[in-house]
Structures are given as structure tokens and as C-alpha cells.
Amino acid sequence: MKRKIVMPMFTLLIVMGFAFFFASQADSFTFSFGETTEFKQIPPDLPEEYSGPQTVQALMNIFDAEYNRVHLRTTITISADKHSQSSKFTNEEIDARYPRGEWLKTLLDKGFTIQNFRKYAYCLSKRHILAFLEDNPDFWKTGFHGMTVLSDMPVTDDWETYKAAYFDKLANKHLKKIRKAAEQAEQAKEQAESVKNLAEQVKEQAEQVKERAERVKNKFNSQQLENVRKQIENAKEQIERLRETLERLKKSMPPQSPNQNMKKKPSTIQI
């Protein structure tokens, strides 16, 4: 049996934190806006990152059949304390009001990019919000926008003006995310470059330390050799001085007669 999941990225439930008159009543209400899109289990063979052409036909060729197969429903709900209003559209109903091809083309023309199935489904789910608002003009005519994608929308009683602003808002929100991601990527690149430069500096410092150590080692060895050489020279000088001393002593001694060292023989007397 296929498992049903509710995709958290399509769930928006934000308390707006402001009050206004609801249904011509003087009481104030705290409003919340919710969008929930439910899918069957998404097949794992869909690409994590789509790198093909950003055209309506190319995107629908790779994602649309799976969207038809796994999409269950999208529910839009607005609540005011104990009062709530919701709307559900089947794929056929929402496609009749906002055809997929036209919807995608409008967003793509405004700079929107679709990188995977989730982004494709996200784009199509935004049709349900617009359809809900079109069916409930009091919400968009009075500036009921809160902190969601509807924030900063114009307060107008002209639907076409509001719808155009809605597309601009979707595109601008997407482009803002793209710019933020690009800035983060640039910062990460700069940090990586800084780390690389730091690593090069550390490497150079290590080489310098190694060279200094080698010079100290060579200097120490040279000093040892120099000391040995000096010791040898000193020994030679001492030997030479001893030889000269012996020569002087030899020369200073008095000469000896040839018979000085011979024993005297006893004399004999003839009678």
C-alpha cells in the first residue's frame, strides 16, 4: 500500500498577529493562513537536481506525469479564532482556472527557475492560493496579507492588478532566495580562498622554519669541524714547539770526549 505523506515545505501556518473587522463585525480576530499539499510517496527515481532547459515543455515532460500520479490534494484555510474557511480544488478544477502551461510560462518569464520536482509542485500549488483569493475578494481587497507570500501586496479592488502583483511577489521571493544562495556561495568561496591562502602561509612558514633548522644544523656541524681543525692545528703547533725545544736543549749541551765514557784499565809495572 502506498504511503501518504504531507510535504512540510508546502505547509504554511503563520499567525499574522493583527486584528481587523471580520464579516462586518466589530470584534477583533487573530487570523492564520494555511496551505497544505498532500502527495503519495514521491518516487526515488526522479532527479534530485534538474539541469535541463527552463522551458514549459521540457519541465512538463519530466515532472508533469509524476505530479498527476502522486498529487492528492491542496487545501487552503483561513482561520479567525473559532471561525475558519477552507477550499479544496481537484487537479481538473484548478487546471481549468489556471492552466499549468500558462502558469509556468508566466513564472519562467519573470525569472523563476525550477530545479527539481518539489519546486515544480511548489509552483503549481500557488495556483490554489490565488483561486481561493479570487473566490473570497474580501480578503485581498481589504489588505489581508499577513506575513506570508501575500505580504506587501497592494490594496486594490482590481483583480487583474492584484493577480499581476501576486505573480511578481512569487518571482521576487524566488529571486531573493536565489540571490541569497548566490551570496552564501560567494561567501563560502571567499572563506575557502582565505583558508587556502592561510594554508599556503602556514606551509611557507613551515618551509622557512625547516630552512632555518637546516641552517642551524649545518652551522653546528661546520662549527664542530672548525673546532676539530683548530685542535689539530694546536696539536701540530705544540709538537713543533716541543721539537724546537728539544733541538735547543740538544744544542745547549757541552760536547763529550770520545774516551770520556770508557773505563780506565789498571796500569801494570814490569819488574
Side-chain angles (χ1 to χ4, degrees):
M1 183 176 66
K2 293 182 177 179
R3 181 166 57 90
K4 183 192 304 183
I5 62 173
V6 177
M7 300 179 67
M9 71 172 294
F10 297 122
T11 301
L12 299 173
L13 189 59
I14 303 174
V15 177
M16 296 183 170
F18 71 95
F20 69 103
F21 291 105
F22 178 73
S24 300
Q25 300 296 319
D27 298 326
S28 62
F29 294 87
T30 299
F31 281 83
S32 63
F33 178 88
E35 173 199 342
T36 303
T37 299
E38 297 176 69
F39 289 93
K40 300 175 185 177
Q41 187 173 8
I42 298 177
D45 56 340
L46 283 174
E48 286 293 331
E49 289 294 329
Y50 169 74
S51 57
Q54 289 291 320
T55 63
V56 172
Q57 193 59 53
L59 291 167
M60 294 185 72
N61 285 345
I62 192 168
F63 294 126
D64 210 53
E66 290 299 330
Y67 182 85
N68 290 334
R69 188 176 69 81
V70 301
H71 178 255
L72 294 175
R73 65 184 63 84
T74 296
T75 304
I76 306 300
T77 304
I78 290 182
S79 300
D81 291 346
K82 296 180 180 179
H83 305 280
S84 65
Q85 187 171 350
S86 63
S87 180
K88 298 179 182 179
F89 300 96
T90 65
N91 282 342
E92 292 76 14
E93 289 171 340
I94 202 69
D95 285 340
R97 294 182 67 166
Y98 302 114
R100 297 183 196 185
E102 295 179 10
W103 185 270
L104 292 170
K105 186 176 187 306
T106 301
L107 290 177
L108 293 174
D109 288 346
K110 290 182 178 294
F112 214 95
T113 55
I114 296 175
Q115 302 91 353
N116 49 45
F117 177 81
R118 293 177 182 273
K119 199 68 174 181
Y120 183 83
Y122 169 87
C123 292
L124 294 184
S125 75
K126 297 308 173 187
R127 299 179 300 168
H128 295 258
I129 298 177
L130 195 61
F132 179 88
L133 292 171
E134 187 176 11
D135 292 344
N136 299 274
D138 288 340
F139 291 124
W140 57 270
K141 285 183 179 181
T142 57
F144 173 67
H145 305 137
M147 300 299 292
T148 67
V149 70
L150 305 179
S151 62
D152 301 328
M153 294 286 286
V155 178
T156 177
D157 58 0
D158 181 71
W159 173 247
E160 293 302 322
T161 299
Y162 189 88
K163 184 168 70 172
Y166 181 81
F167 280 113
D168 289 338
K169 184 66 179 179
L170 287 177
N172 290 337
K173 182 181 179 181
H174 171 75
L175 292 175
K176 185 178 180 180
K177 287 183 178 180
I178 295 296
R179 285 193 295 269
K180 185 177 180 180
E183 290 173 0
Q184 291 174 341
E186 186 63 27
Q187 290 174 358
K189 181 180 178 182
E190 291 176 358
Q191 291 175 353
E193 190 66 26
S194 298
V195 171
K196 181 181 177 182
N197 293 337
L198 181 61
E200 289 294 332
Q201 292 175 4
V202 171
K203 182 179 178 181
E204 290 177 2
Q205 291 175 355
E207 289 294 331
Q208 291 173 0
V209 170
K210 182 180 179 181
E211 290 175 0
R212 286 198 295 268
E214 191 67 26
R215 286 197 298 269
V216 170
K217 179 182 177 181
N218 293 337
K219 182 178 180 181
F220 179 74
N221 291 338
S222 299
Q223 189 66 42
Q224 284 183 322
L225 292 175
E226 182 65 18
N227 291 338
V228 172
R229 188 187 66 79
K230 288 181 179 180
Q231 290 175 0
I232 293 173
E233 291 295 330
N234 290 335
K236 287 182 178 180
E237 291 176 359
Q238 291 176 2
I239 292 172
E240 183 63 23
R241 285 196 294 270
L242 288 173
R243 189 186 65 79
E244 292 175 355
T245 300
L246 289 174
E247 288 293 331
R248 286 195 298 272
L249 289 173
K250 183 179 179 180
K251 291 178 179 180
S252 63
M253 292 177 63
Q256 296 180 355
S257 60
N259 298 324
Q260 185 177 357
N261 293 330
M262 295 178 62
K263 290 183 179 182
K264 293 183 178 180
K265 294 182 181 180
S267 58
T268 58
I269 299 177
Q270 294 180 354
I271 299 177

